[in-house]
Amino acid sequence: AQTVTQSQPEMSVQEAETVTLSCTYDTSESDYYLFWYKQPPSRQMILVIRQEAYKQQNATENRFSVNFQKAAKSFSLKISDSQLGDAAMYFCAYRSPPNSGYALNFGKGTSLLVTP
Amino acid sequence: NAGVTQTPKFQVLKTGQSMTLQCAQDMNHNSMYWYRQDPGMGLRLIYYSASEGTTDKGEVPNGYNVSRLNKREFSLRLESAAPSQTSVYFCASSPAGGQNIYEQYFGPGTRLTVT
């Protein structure tokens, strides 16, 4: 089974600064997909960004970007110009192969605190 | 367009009671999923349904049953609730898999407490 590891239970960043959340994963697949989800206190799961493993270019979505290192099996999330509304739990997720229904394997999450 | 809806939002059960969590999606998605979220554990897959008429076990299926009633609805049943099933339950849906990077859309979650 694929495993996803987020080694930072908590992170803190000042408003307007940049923060990077780490994620590593283990897989024997060559083609796969990776996601970052945000979970604010409302509990709603919100997709932040996605990455296809066959694409060498790192995905970006406005202030959010990833550093995808396929050989190292690393998929970190960078948040630039942090805002108070970015405070949330962030989950890294790996999409499993067809024989597991394309379900998501989640890391344990990183709690991000944003200070004024 | 409501997306993925779940009922109820909160529930308290006594040990041994049974209940069904309801989930429905209005996006015409093929695949549906049930996850549970425990503190410090992230989300873990309980059951999934790749298409109407099929269901399969995930990582933590013990103590649960599911029904894919039709393409829209996917319910999760606890036959005899145990305190270890105290958790937040999320339903999710997705158009399909394959070469398209379809995201999963999540419902708002159900907080279940078993005393």
Side-chain angles (χ1 to χ4, degrees):
Chain A
Q2 293 77 19
T3 57
V4 178
T5 302
Q6 294 179 249
S7 58
Q8 306 153 315
E10 294 179 349
M11 291 284 285
S12 181
V13 63
Q14 279 195 315
E15 225 177 338
E17 297 296 310
T18 296
V19 65
T20 298
L21 308 184
S22 301
C23 173
T24 59
Y25 57 93
D26 183 30
T27 183
S28 58
E29 304 288 323
S30 57
D31 287 332
Y32 49 88
Y33 303 94
L34 297 162
F35 302 84
W36 279 98
Y37 276 86
K38 171 185 178 181
Q39 186 180 44
S42 67
R43 221 167 52 200
Q44 183 67 47
M45 296 290 287
I46 302 165
L47 178 68
V48 175
I49 200 164
R50 71 191 87 187
Q51 174 78 45
E52 296 94 321
Y54 65 86
K55 287 187 176 179
Q56 292 185 336
Q57 187 173 7
N58 289 323
T60 62
E61 288 286 344
N62 301 314
R63 297 182 295 106
F64 298 87
S65 62
V66 299
N67 183 4
F68 173 51
Q69 301 288 329
K70 190 173 184 179
K73 296 180 182 176
S74 171
F75 181 58
S76 60
L77 175 69
K78 186 170 83 170
I79 306 174
S80 304
D81 185 26
S82 297
Q83 301 175 359
L84 294 177
D86 295 332
M89 283 290 290
Y90 286 82
F91 292 97
C92 178
Y94 171 102
R95 195 188 80 168
S96 63
N99 61 359
S100 297
Y102 300 111
L104 295 177
N105 293 316
F106 286 89
K108 293 183 178 182
T110 296
S111 178
L112 179 65
L113 175 67
V114 182
T115 57
Chain B
N1 187 344
V4 179
T5 57
Q6 292 182 234
T7 55
K9 287 190 168 49
F10 300 93
Q11 184 71 49
V12 178
L13 290 178
K14 293 188 187 316
T15 298
Q17 288 185 318
S18 62
M19 79 160 296
T20 299
L21 307 184
Q22 307 285 354
C23 174
Q25 51 92 8
D26 61 2
M27 296 173 282
N28 201 36
H29 288 172
N30 289 319
S31 301
M32 297 186 74
Y33 309 84
W34 277 105
Y35 296 90
R36 61 178 286 174
Q37 182 179 21
D38 301 300
M41 293 294 293
L43 279 74
R44 293 181 293 169
L45 182 68
I46 305 172
Y47 270 93
Y48 66 94
S49 171
S51 61
E52 185 179 357
T54 69
T55 61
D56 284 286
K57 295 178 180 179
E59 181 185 353
V60 288
N62 290 345
Y64 305 96
N65 285 302
V66 290
S67 295
R68 184 74 182 267
L69 304 170
N70 47 55
K71 194 171 186 179
R72 289 188 63 250
E73 299 172 289
F74 188 39
S75 62
L76 178 72
R77 182 161 179 83
L78 287 71
E79 291 291 350
S80 179
S84 60
Q85 294 178 304
T86 294
S87 189
V88 178
Y89 292 84
F90 286 95
C91 178
S93 71
S94 181
Q99 294 305 306
N100 292 311
I101 186 170
Y102 292 117
E103 68 178 274
Q104 289 190 14
Y105 296 78
F106 286 81
T110 295
R111 181 176 292 278
L112 175 67
T113 302
V114 183
T115 61

